Amino acid sequence: MLLQFSIKNFRTFKDKATLSLIASNYDKDTREHENIVINDNFGLRLLKSAVIYGANASGKSKLLDAFAFMRYFVVNSSKESQKGETIEVEPFKLSTQTENEPSEFEIIFVHKNVYYRYGFEATAERIVSEWLYHKPKTKEVELYYREGSTFNTHERSFTKGNTVVKEGLVRDNALLISVAAQFNEKTAINVLDWFKRLKTLSGLNESGYQGFTMGRTEDPDHKIKILDLLKAADLGIQDIELQKLDINSLPKGMPKELKDKIIKEVREEKQEYVSDVLTKHKKYNEHLKAVGNISFSLDEDESSGTRKFFALTGPILDVIENGYTLVVDELDSKLHPNLVCKIVLLFNSKEFNKKSAQLIFNTHDTNLLSSGLFRRDQIWFTNKNKFGEAKLYSLADFKSDEVRKNDPFEDNYIKGKYGAVPFLGFFENLKFLLTENENEGQKS
């Protein structure tokens, strides 16, 4: 499970920003049974979900982009295709102090009953520093620390990683953790395994994971679970069916090279292409009695919200079934607020989320603040100051006499009590501008 994620000098975040999923002590009597997982090995109380609010351009999405970047870079930086490529970091550009400094990332998690702390600093050209610590029992042990091309490695606990360093196999733009995993360093493999279990999605564009859900429907057991979620969402869908591409009905305007490739793969390699998903709905007669089913095209007949929720069902079920961590940018986009509440409830539920999967997402949906689903330590905000610097903080960071557990969080947030809302004073000038324009129109 994820414990903590920190970034520094990355995009809109100049100073260090830390998102923590370690539960606070003064909220112990609030949704303790539902929203908290107890890790007895390390004496931790961990949150199953966290929501992030903030004005437009305040850093909400940039924070989640940092998750996606770190995951991708850890998993892929050792690959030969990355040789000579720049590292996709972007320092805070609005300050002369930071524009040429490295970006920093650190993550703390528990995987297979071991506590890990891993991080690195990087510029576009090279890794400036990198570190890995683990805590098998009670004491944190340094497995390696890298500063530029100088490595200090634990010879007994990071043996193969030590060999990789001595052989000079780590490029300036590659992470030791990634290279060591390729050479079967057990600890490095475990770290990469956790990163692969960290799933990041865009709530604005479901095309990137709709194919995953479509593939899951071909397994009868998974299809049943997907259908159960769709029915629970009250979308009127009774069944789903994949419509396979008919190579005899390919579009006339399709490029010949692509058409020949598809025909060859279908005929010779027995590959199948899905052209659409058919959703089945009940059909009624004049007496409002069901007389059969009718098929709709997911792409052409269903709403954008239905398409998005269908696409989400596969990743959500996969994450919950396996105890992964899911990070979603704009989860609420296209979805009804009540449906977003139900998704959060799935993750908070002890009955459905038996492997302690975690959900982190950002949203503008303030209804969630009055839903009673979140504790104060699960509600986070991003706020940008006049210098363009984004800050990240939790409702639990306020003093207890400033924010009480029974306060109307939604009303207070909208009123600006917690910050993280846009300053719209300029709109007060629009009346003056409108009047001025009207007067000019009358003069002419």
Side-chain angles (χ1 to χ4, degrees), residues 64 67-69 71 198-202 209 325-328:
L64 302 195
F67 272 103
F69 163 75
R71 179 196 186 280
L198 174 65
K199 307 296 181 180
T200 60
L201 301 178
S202 166
Y209 45 93
T325 298
L326 177 63
V327 178
V328 188

Side-chain angles (χ1 to χ4, degrees), residues 360-425:
I360 300 167
F361 67 101
N362 59 26
T363 182
H364 288 291
D365 179 10
T366 59
N367 290 287
L368 288 168
L369 291 173
S370 57
S371 66
L373 292 175
F374 293 105
R375 299 153 43 100
R376 286 170 288 187
D377 50 9
Q378 292 177 283
I379 300 170
W380 291 79
F381 303 102
T382 54
N383 199 24
K384 189 183 285 187
N385 64 20
K386 64 180 181 179
F387 304 106
E389 303 167 359
K391 307 291 183 183
L392 175 69
Y393 54 95
S394 165
L395 202 54
D397 292 336
F398 289 82
K399 294 179 180 177
S400 57
D401 59 340
E402 293 177 335
V403 179
R404 295 178 175 83
K405 63 182 179 181
N406 295 320
D407 282 352
F409 296 151
E410 182 179 12
D411 289 345
N412 286 346
Y413 171 61
I414 292 172
K415 291 174 183 175
K417 184 174 179 179
Y418 311 136
V421 292
F423 175 71
L424 304 176

Side-chain angles (χ1 to χ4, degrees), residues 121 126-131 144-152 172 176:
E121 291 180 292
R126 65 189 181 91
I127 305 301
V128 175
S129 64
E130 183 185 0
W131 56 91
Y144 69 82
Y145 189 88
R146 165 191 191 177
E147 192 163 357
S149 56
T150 302
F151 297 82
N152 292 311
D172 286 346
L176 171 56

Side-chain angles (χ1 to χ4, degrees), residues 243-292:
Q243 187 175 58
K244 301 299 173 69
L245 182 67
D246 181 1
I247 59 174
N248 297 313
S249 304
L250 294 175
K252 292 182 179 179
M254 180 180 285
K256 184 178 183 302
E257 185 178 334
L258 178 58
K259 185 181 289 188
D260 291 343
K261 180 177 182 292
I262 291 174
I263 291 172
K264 180 183 177 182
E265 289 178 348
V266 171
R267 285 180 176 168
E268 297 179 14
E269 301 174 24
K270 305 300 179 184
Q271 285 199 28
E272 289 186 321
Y273 289 88
V274 177
S275 59
D276 199 358
V277 177
L278 301 180
T279 59
K280 294 186 179 180
H281 295 255
K282 286 183 180 179
K283 190 174 186 178
Y284 300 88
N285 63 15
E286 67 274 19
H287 304 294
L288 301 181
K289 289 186 177 180
V291 293

